[in-house]
Structures are given as C-alpha cells and as structure tokens.
Amino acid sequence: MPVETEKHGDLLVITINRPEVRNAIDFETANALKDAFRSFDSDKQRLACVLTGADGNFCAGADLKAVAAGRGNRVTLDGDGPLGPTRMTLSKPVVAAVEGYAVAGGLELALWCDMRVAARSAVFGVFCRRWGVPLVDGGTIRLPRLIGQSHAMDMILTGRGVAGDEALRMGLANRLVDDGEALHGAVALADSLTKFPQRCLKSDRRSVIMQWGKPLHEAMQQETMLGREVIKSGETVHGATRFNEGAGRHGDFSDI
C-alpha cells in the first residue's frame, strides 16, 4: 500500500509508504492520501493526525519518473491538489514528522500541515527548481505566509536546501529533534493537542486559517463570532470553573 494508517488512541498516523522513491507521490498515492485525510476528518474519535514518510524520508515530491512517462499527477483548477490533500481545509490539526528530505511537492505537503517536527538533518527545499517543475500545491502561497517573503524567495528562486537550525530560525520547523526522533516528537506534540478542550482549540485554529485576505475589522468580527459559539457551548464556563477550583495554576498543564 502506498499510504498506511495507524491509530494511536485519539491520534491517526498517516505514512507515505514508497521508500524506494523517497516517498515520491504518483497518481495512486495522491488519491490514497486524499482518501486517508478525508477519512480522518470525518472520524469523530481521532482528534489530531501525524503525517510522515517511511524509512527515513518525508517526501521527495511528485514522482518525476511517472511524469516523464506521461502519467503525471492531476493538475487542474478545481478539485483536489496534485499531491492529494493540499487543497483541503481540515477541521482538526495535522503535524508533519520530517526526517530526510521534504522537497518540492514534499515541502508543499509539509507546509500544508499545521506544524512541523523536524530531525536535525532533515532538508527542506524547492529542489524542483532545477527541473522546470513548478510549485502547484500551495508552495508559493504557504511558504511566504509561513516564513516571510524574503526567506521564501531565497528558497524558491535558488532551490537550495534548508536544514536543522536554519529551518527552526526561519519558522519552517516548529520543533527540532535528534535524527530518528521526528515521528516520536510529532506524536507527542499531536497528542498534547488532544488534551485541550476541543471546541475551543478547533475554533481558534479555524479563525487563524480563515482570517487570511480579510480586512482587520472583518477578521476581528469573525473571531468574535467563532468565540461566542465556544462560550455558548458551555466549554468556557466549564474551564473557568476548573481553574477556580485550583486546576492549571501558574501555567501548569499537567492536569488538563
């Protein structure tokens, strides 16, 4: 199977499983990824997801051998993205666990995730620059939004690889771990998200995603409307009551 899924309590781990091509994505794999994420989003028990690649690499992007053979991924103005899930807006968070290469479309997949846990030797890059393969899975949009236009232009125009400490400084990686520990770190991070009050977490996440392109006043109104729905649900009063009873004082998250 080009894509494997494994349930870990409230988490789902999705693994791109084509190690012989550094987990490059062909048409079949893109469809399998799309289906896996749709299934995750509709699964009420799974609250967060980790996306990773098999055998030491995250993803090398589109399968160029398939492209050269005329069996390239779907590139259309509507419908799903060429690599599968990259045009989806999920209701729950996804954390990328990045070992080895996350390049070209693989970089775009990592950017689509909410956060990225990277091994120190992991390499992010627009390696497709040298082959005339454009970024068509959100790379020219998400990368500058994530790390700023200057850093993004450096990566996009030169195609150079960015690893370790530089990725962390740029904001490209959210957490840096020792080699071989990215999946463990991503699972721990994703699991920590499942412990929080979920209606509030999902609402705040949705506000962040939906505010792009809106004037400040409109975005603030939207934030307020979403927040009011959380308050009406009773989740806020429940949390305030727990705090009043002594839970979570002084930034202690151990009794969430």
Side-chain angles (χ1 to χ4, degrees), residues 12 14 34-47 49 88-94 112 202 205:
L12 182 71
I14 297 177
K34 169 194 65 178
D35 292 343
F37 277 107
R38 285 213 169 95
S39 178
F40 158 69
D41 208 40
S42 64
D43 184 343
K44 296 186 184 305
Q45 185 176 347
R46 309 308 147 201
L47 303 180
C49 180
M88 295 181 186
T89 301
L90 304 185
S91 63
K92 298 177 280 190
V94 179
W112 173 74
K202 290 178 182 178
R205 176 181 177 273

Side-chain angles (χ1 to χ4, degrees), residues 2-3 14-18 21-38 51-52 58-67 71-88 90 94 101-113 125-128 133-140 142:
V3 172
I14 297 177
T15 303
I16 306 167
N17 187 35
R18 301 187 75 217
V21 288
R22 290 181 174 171
N23 300 315
I25 295 176
D26 59 6
F27 185 76
E28 179 187 6
T29 309
N31 281 336
L33 272 178
K34 169 194 65 178
D35 292 343
F37 277 107
R38 285 213 169 95
L51 174 63
T52 193
F58 182 73
C59 175
D63 188 336
L64 295 187
K65 290 183 179 178
V67 172
R71 295 181 285 103
N73 296 15
R74 178 180 179 274
V75 183
T76 60
L77 292 178
D78 54 5
D80 295 308
L83 297 188
T86 45
R87 294 178 185 171
M88 295 181 186
L90 304 185
V94 179
Y101 288 104
V103 297
L107 170 64
E108 292 178 293
L109 269 179
L111 296 173
W112 173 74
C113 298
V126 186
F127 283 15
C128 51
V133 178
L135 295 171
V136 288
D137 271 283
T140 64
R142 292 189 175 107

Side-chain angles (χ1 to χ4, degrees), residues 6 8-14 40 45-52 92-97 113-117 174-175 181-196 198 201 256:
E6 185 177 359
H8 291 262
D10 293 331
L11 298 180
L12 182 71
V13 175
I14 297 177
F40 158 69
Q45 185 176 347
R46 309 308 147 201
L47 303 180
C49 180
V50 172
L51 174 63
T52 193
K92 298 177 280 190
V94 179
V95 178
C113 298
D114 293 276
M115 291 185 280
R116 287 145 296 281
V117 176
N174 298 91
R175 306 281 192 278
E181 293 296 316
L183 181 57
H184 177 76
V187 166
L189 176 57
D191 184 62
S192 74
L193 304 182
T194 71
K195 310 303 182 187
F196 295 116
Q198 288 298 298
L201 181 143
I256 295 174

